[in-house]
Amino acid sequence: MSDWKLESWRAKSALHQPVYPDAVALREVTSQLEELPPLVFAEEIQSLRKDLAKVERGEGFLLQGGDCAESFAEFSQQNLQDTVKVILQMAVTLTYAGSCPVVKMGRVAGQFAKPRSSPVETRNGESLPSYLGDIINGIDFDESSRVPDPQRMLRAYQQSVTSINLLRAMATGGFASLRNIREWNLESVNGTKLAERYGAMTDRIHQALDFMNACGVPMEAFSSLQGTALYTSHEALLLEYEQVMTRQVDGAWYDLSAHCLWVGERTRQEDSAHLELMRGVENPVGVKIGPTATADDCLRISTQLNPDNESGKLIFICRMGAAKTKEVLPALLKAVSDAGRKVIWVCDPMHGNTETAASGYKTRNFDRIMEEVIAFFDAHRNAGTYPGGLHLEMTGRYVTECTGGAYEISDEDLHHCYDTQCDPRLNAGQALEIAYQAADELRRFRQK
Ligand code: TRP
Ligand code: MN
């Protein structure tokens, strides 16, 4: 990495970056941020690398989920706790079904910046700069809100600190103990088939723990049963922010804004400034792989980001849509595995299945999402490669943003509870249902 420097990205093409009108104000904020503590530690990033290396070898599974975009307005203890509860439920389901460890990772504590398809938004003949995420500008449709404001980076940083504090408390403070498995159930799911299935599993787990206890192996003796690790991740989109959070620890560079970062489909081109910054850090890095990605793209990205073909480093997050997954993914799996490149393959069944409902809402249909998950597992089965994980946009709240699923949400229902800042999310029940399907697939996969 002798040719990499913290600022070498500036000579590359940095797409989807805001233009701050006041360069002095920007510099003031970045120098303040420079003095603030990191959000995560290098050691934690190294543990994640080890956990992901296991996934890469087919000995684990990655579950990554959270809001499309975090916001200042929707931030609350309740929202975050509910999301964590669903992630724990999904994780324990997958662990149980697949008999393999699950790496739990939130799209949280930093997921604030959004690339947009158009730089301007037009409403009733009036055009303004697009909303780019709370870390950059405001969502209100007026001129002053839409001006990029560097102060928002400080607020996003502070909210991330608060979020991470809560995540750590939930992960290690007793709440995530397997004894509390019933407490993770959410009210909105009660009375559904999902709750029934979850209840049956929790009974079996409790029985197993009681049995082990009776045999003289009390769970108190094993800290691994009493808590878990919750990692954080977000899209490394806003390069001024990621640069200032990238710091040197024992001679190596880490982006200490999160454990794991990813580069989006729209910013992963060959001369990408985003790939350039991520090339220099020790963090595991995800790259979104859309339906137009070629085998050459995958191999090129793999050599750019992971020249030494290290383990637990590179994650390809496929987001192709159900149909294209069947068509396009097999050739990519083959090319990468023929070349002997180390990659963790993850399925994002959300972004390739976005559509506009007759009612005008941006939505995703549950059946298409499920179809993509199944197609993803099938493709790996055929290619002899390993389906390493799931990446979902989801919330613990009862929202009506995706159609279908256990609550049979229809086009006409979407307006009831459509709260997303950006893309439609699975609600708690829909997310659990996906986890059940994935758990069955994973079990089948691991038994063969
Ligand atoms: N520590 C183990 C793990 O993280 C077991 C565990 C404890 C667990 N609490 C959990 C698993 C909550 C899933 C969900 O896998
Ligand atoms: Mn999204």
Side-chain angles (χ1 to χ4, degrees):
M1 288 291 162
S2 56
D3 57 337
W4 182 90
K5 295 220 168 46
L6 183 56
E7 303 222 35
S8 53
W9 64 268
R10 290 185 192 270
K12 304 273 180 171
S13 143
L15 303 179
H16 292 277
Q17 298 306 290
V19 179
Y20 290 102
D22 185 345
V24 176
L26 172 64
R27 220 165 319 111
E28 273 169 17
V29 166
T30 52
S31 43
Q32 275 185 59
L33 277 168
E34 228 161 42
E35 302 304 315
L36 291 169
L39 286 149
V40 303
F41 280 176
E43 291 77 6
E44 298 171 325
I45 292 170
Q46 291 300 351
S47 321
L48 173 59
R49 284 281 301 264
K50 289 201 189 91
D51 290 353
L52 288 175
K54 280 180 106 173
V55 174
E56 198 176 271
R57 293 196 301 269
E59 297 161 19
F61 195 76
L62 170 65
L63 176 65
Q64 192 175 11
D67 284 326
C68 175
E70 291 175 274
S71 73
F72 298 157
E74 266 211 34
F75 179 61
S76 73
Q77 176 178 7
Q78 187 76 47
N79 282 352
L80 188 52
Q81 274 181 348
D82 285 353
T83 301
V84 171
K85 281 183 180 180
V86 191
I87 291 179
L88 291 176
Q89 280 187 286
M90 296 165 79
V92 77
T93 303
L94 288 158
T95 311
Y96 192 78
S99 302
C100 74
V102 170
V103 182
K104 302 147 199 87
M105 193 184 281
R107 283 176 64 109
V108 71
Q111 176 52 18
F112 287 102
K114 303 305 298 172
R116 303 308 300 270
S117 43
S118 164
V120 287
E121 181 184 350
T122 304
R123 285 191 205 172
N124 308 320
E126 193 190 351
S127 291
L128 288 176
S130 290
Y131 168 62
L132 304 173
D134 275 9
I135 196 171
I136 296 169
N137 61 3
I139 198 168
D140 291 341
F141 194 72
D142 60 64
E143 214 168 321
S144 65
S145 309
R146 294 294 170 92
V147 179
D149 176 3
Q151 287 292 328
R152 285 176 166 271
M153 280 194 251
L154 285 167
R155 180 145 178 216
Y157 167 87
Q158 292 299 349
Q159 184 168 312
S160 302
V161 171
T162 313
S163 300
I164 246 178
N165 180 51
L166 191 57
L167 291 174
R168 291 189 198 283
M170 288 186 85
T172 59
F175 183 76
S177 164
L178 287 175
R179 270 286 167 215
N180 287 332
I181 185 167
R182 291 194 182 105
E183 313 296 319
W184 311 335
N185 218 353
L186 285 159
E187 213 160 290
S188 63
V189 180
N190 277 344
T192 66
K193 273 214 243 41
L194 301 166
E196 233 171 81
R197 179 167 172 178
Y198 188 67
M201 181 188 64
T202 58
D203 288 349
R204 287 196 297 273
I205 290 176
H206 268 281
Q207 255 173 39
L209 292 172
D210 290 343
F211 174 71
M212 293 308 287
N213 189 46
C215 297
V217 185
M219 73 175 291
E220 290 67 35
F222 296 91
S223 61
S224 74
L225 299 174
Q226 290 159 49
T228 188
L230 283 176
Y231 294 107
T232 62
S233 67
H234 62 260
E235 177 173 356
L237 182 63
L238 181 56
L239 293 170
E240 292 286 357
Y241 181 79
E242 300 307 333
Q243 182 195 310
V244 81
M245 298 308 294
T246 298
R247 299 169 190 190
Q248 212 168 13
V249 182
D250 295 334
W253 291 90
Y254 295 82
D255 183 340
L256 298 174
S257 70
H259 298 110
C260 180
L261 288 308
W262 74 85
V263 178
E265 170 80 353
R266 297 177 178 134
T267 51
R268 60 157 176 75
Q269 80 285 359
E270 186 150 13
D271 62 349
S272 155
H274 294 82
L275 292 180
E276 178 61 22
L277 180 58
M278 289 297 113
R279 182 169 79 91
V281 299
E282 297 293 314
N283 307 60
V285 176
V287 178
K288 291 285 188 109
I289 301 293
T292 58
T294 62
D296 283 349
D297 289 332
C298 292
L299 297 174
R300 184 256 303 164
I301 293 167
S302 152
T303 21
Q304 270 178 300
L305 280 179
N306 192 15
D308 297 334
N309 209 20
E310 289 173 30
S311 297
K313 171 67 195 180
L314 182 60
I315 308 168
F316 278 160
I317 308 168
C318 306
R319 30 92 71 230
M320 304 189 167
K324 290 284 178 186
T325 297
K326 298 170 201 173
E327 233 177 274
V328 175
L329 184 59
L332 305 186
L333 298 180
K334 182 172 183 328
V336 170
S337 93
D338 285 354
R341 303 302 300 182
K342 289 182 178 158
V343 166
I344 297 146
W345 293 97
V346 167
C347 173
D348 162 5
M350 311 298 294
H351 287 91
N353 294 305
T354 313
E355 58 192 18
T356 305
S359 50
Y361 283 100
K362 191 173 169 187
T363 189
R364 291 159 173 162
N365 179 262
F366 185 82
D367 292 340
R368 294 287 81 69
I369 294 171
M370 195 69 110
E371 191 185 331
E372 181 158 350
V373 172
I374 294 170
F376 176 79
F377 276 93
D378 285 345
H380 283 282
R381 201 170 288 118
N382 294 331
T385 46
Y386 183 70
L390 261 187
H391 179 119
L392 301 173
E393 287 186 347
M394 48 172 274
T395 166
R397 296 181 39 227
Y398 177 76
V399 295
T400 54
E401 298 171 5
C402 293
T403 55
Y407 311 101
E408 296 177 4
I409 293 166
S410 70
D411 274 12
E412 293 72 47
D413 296 328
L414 289 173
H415 72 275
H416 288 310
C417 211
Y418 194 97
D419 291 340
T420 182
Q421 294 283 107
C422 203
D423 288 341
R425 301 162 293 182
L426 299 167
N427 60 34
Q430 291 170 327
L432 255 188
E433 214 171 335
I434 298 283
Y436 285 141
Q437 183 70 41
D440 290 344
E441 295 282 340
L442 186 62
R443 185 174 186 81
R444 202 149 69 89
F445 204 93
R446 299 183 59 83
Q447 277 175 343
K448 74 158 183 48

